[in-house]
Amino acid sequence: MAEIRPVRGWRYNPELGAAIDAYVSPLFDVVSRKQREALYHNPLNSIHLSVPRGEDAAGEAVRTLADWQKTGVLRQDELPGVYVYYQYFRLPGSAREYCRKGFMCHIRAYDWSENVVLRHENTLPVSVNDRAELLARTQLQSSATHGLYRDDTFELERYMDEAIQDPLYQTEEDYQGARDVLAMIQDRDIIHRFLALLADKQVILADGHHRYEASLVYRQARQVADPKATGFELWNYHLMYLTNAAADDLRILPTHRLLLEFPGELSNEEFLKRLAQFFTVLGQDDAYDLPEIIAGKRWAFGLYLGGQAYKIRLKPEVHAQLAWDTTTEVKALDLTVLHYFVLERVLDVVGPDAQRNWPGVAYVRSFSECLAQVDRGTARAAFITNEVTMDEVERVCHSGAVMPPKSTFFYPKTIVGFLFTSIRDQEADNPFLQCV
């Protein structure tokens, strides 16, 4: 199944690495405008490679990369390896410290049709093309996407636990409150255990669909340009952070839905009346109790409308009306129910494509921010949701379908700046890589 390979990573030199917090940055699709401006002020921050700016942004990244490699800001490790990456974090309201364990390496860039790397969401062509251009110009993978494999025996964790005792980098606290630690495994026999275990696994893409698809676009372009290619050139591979789907420390947080407007002149009273056709609607005394009230309940949501809180739950007999042409696994999801019965049936925004492009819905992770926007009048209503489970993600991916937009938020996000990998042709000459 999944073919993975060790990499000779490019990393910040030891002097800069000792203060790595100053050089890491959020992923391109989660960094806010305010965060970007602050990070751009540091001329050596990784954002200059991952989210370059200027009229010729990709060209700026090319020039920055060449300068950093020439002056020693970035140095390449002598031997290839698998890079162990741990993230320690806490969730709001919990004293428990979680540790998501994983490793970074190259994985063959499989087309979706090969059924090796599985997706759970659709992509936007504009974002894919932007990432593909940056990859083509720089020949650099600046941030690993997040993939999931399943190993109920946890075989690789013991090797990773040993390696993480001798870290290369560690942050004090990144932008989301996590502590990130990087280590390296260069032992050939151990690396072969990683390769062998993944060889019979499928990989679910948890995060980074646009970056992964950009690698596919670039690989296809190179294949057309060089029909005699062997298939083992580095442009056939993609940088991925792989974590075990069986781990309890793999967390998915909910993403709530804000309705910024109601189509037409729909009043709050009429909106509730329409909802009652499909849902049981119960008023609640305190909006801040909504997450607890709906927790673990199928097809249940919190609704905050006009300063009043409600628990709503789909009437079981109504579910058979869900008429979208998708799999049973997708139809069973809470968010499919919400998008079909609220956005389509109540608000008449018909079909997944129309909903994806409708400006009247926003996706917000902060529960308190949802309530605040309704109170401020910047949104008409907030729908509070439960998180998607890992079991649901796996079921949907193996069914060959995709989820509604913004269904998953794997937490924490990986950071940029720990590891860069080159896909230039000359990088494949290392004899170690050829042996594995």
Side-chain angles (χ1 to χ4, degrees), residues 79-378:
L79 291 175
V82 166
Y83 291 80
V84 178
Y85 180 22
Y86 281 14
Q87 290 182 288
Y88 298 87
F89 63 99
R90 286 183 167 86
L91 296 177
S94 173
R96 172 182 171 180
E97 183 179 60
Y98 293 87
C99 176
R100 189 174 66 192
K101 303 178 179 183
F103 60 95
M104 290 186 280
C105 62
H106 274 175
I107 185 171
R108 182 171 289 277
Y110 295 95
D111 287 323
W112 303 123
S113 60
E114 295 180 80
N115 208 35
V116 177
V117 174
L118 310 178
R119 59 180 167 179
H120 70 269
E121 66 179 35
N122 287 314
T123 55
L124 298 173
V126 172
S127 296
V128 172
N129 293 338
D130 174 71
R131 294 289 101 189
E133 180 189 5
L134 184 62
L135 179 62
R137 297 279 299 277
T138 62
Q139 301 279 284
L140 186 80
Q141 310 218 43
S142 60
S143 58
T145 56
H146 182 190
L148 306 167
Y149 67 94
R150 177 167 284 275
D151 174 30
D152 293 308
T153 70
F154 295 92
E155 177 185 349
L156 302 182
E157 275 73 2
R158 64 188 181 96
Y159 302 119
M160 294 191 287
D161 286 344
E162 182 178 352
I164 209 71
Q165 300 305 313
D166 185 23
L168 300 169
Y169 299 141
Q170 50 187 320
T171 64
E172 293 184 12
E173 185 177 282
D174 67 24
Y175 74 101
Q176 58 202 329
R179 180 167 63 90
D180 307 83
V181 185
L182 184 74
M184 190 178 188
I185 295 174
Q186 293 180 312
D187 184 285
R188 184 175 304 196
D189 291 336
I190 295 176
I191 290 174
H192 272 285
R193 291 306 311 144
F194 280 74
L195 273 59
L197 188 136
L198 267 293
D200 66 350
K201 304 290 185 186
Q202 290 176 304
V203 171
I204 290 174
L205 196 55
D207 199 18
H209 287 68
H210 292 94
R211 283 170 286 144
Y212 182 80
E213 200 159 302
S215 284
L216 298 184
V217 169
Y218 181 61
R219 180 176 66 89
Q220 290 160 2
R222 291 294 300 266
Q223 286 175 330
V224 170
D226 185 5
K228 294 183 179 180
T230 66
F232 293 98
E233 297 82 6
L234 283 181
W235 44 261
N236 289 286
Y237 295 88
H238 173 82
L239 179 63
M240 187 172 285
Y241 167 59
L242 289 158
T243 60
N244 191 347
D248 183 52
D249 290 55
L250 183 67
R251 311 309 298 174
I252 306 175
L253 304 186
T255 301
H256 311 299
R257 271 58 176 158
L258 271 181
L259 298 184
L260 305 179
E261 60 185 43
F262 292 163
E265 300 296 325
L266 190 66
S267 67
N268 289 354
E269 292 73 21
E270 180 61 26
F271 179 67
L272 288 171
K273 183 178 179 180
R274 292 187 186 184
L275 279 178
Q277 299 175 68
F278 310 107
F279 296 89
T280 300
V281 181
L282 299 174
Q284 304 296 318
D285 292 333
D286 191 342
Y288 284 90
D289 291 337
L290 289 176
E292 183 178 352
I293 290 170
I294 67 171
K297 296 180 174 63
R298 191 183 196 192
W299 303 335
F301 309 93
L303 168 63
Y304 189 59
L305 175 71
Q308 174 63 48
Y310 303 87
K311 172 192 171 185
I312 71 169
R313 193 170 189 180
L314 188 74
K315 299 173 183 177
E317 67 275 12
V318 170
H319 188 262
Q321 298 179 26
L322 207 164
W324 282 348
D325 183 17
T326 188
T327 64
T328 301
E329 291 79 4
V330 173
K331 288 183 178 181
L333 297 173
D334 285 355
L335 292 174
T336 305
V337 164
L338 179 62
H339 279 244
Y340 180 79
F341 288 103
V342 177
L343 297 188
E344 178 158 318
R345 297 295 297 275
V346 172
L347 297 179
D348 202 32
V349 184
V350 179
D353 289 339
Q355 293 177 9
R356 192 177 299 112
N357 297 308
W358 183 48
V361 63
Y363 304 92
V364 177
R365 289 182 291 276
S366 168
F367 166 69
S368 59
E369 177 62 19
C370 286
L371 303 189
Q373 288 214 35
V374 175
D375 286 339
R376 290 197 300 264
T378 54

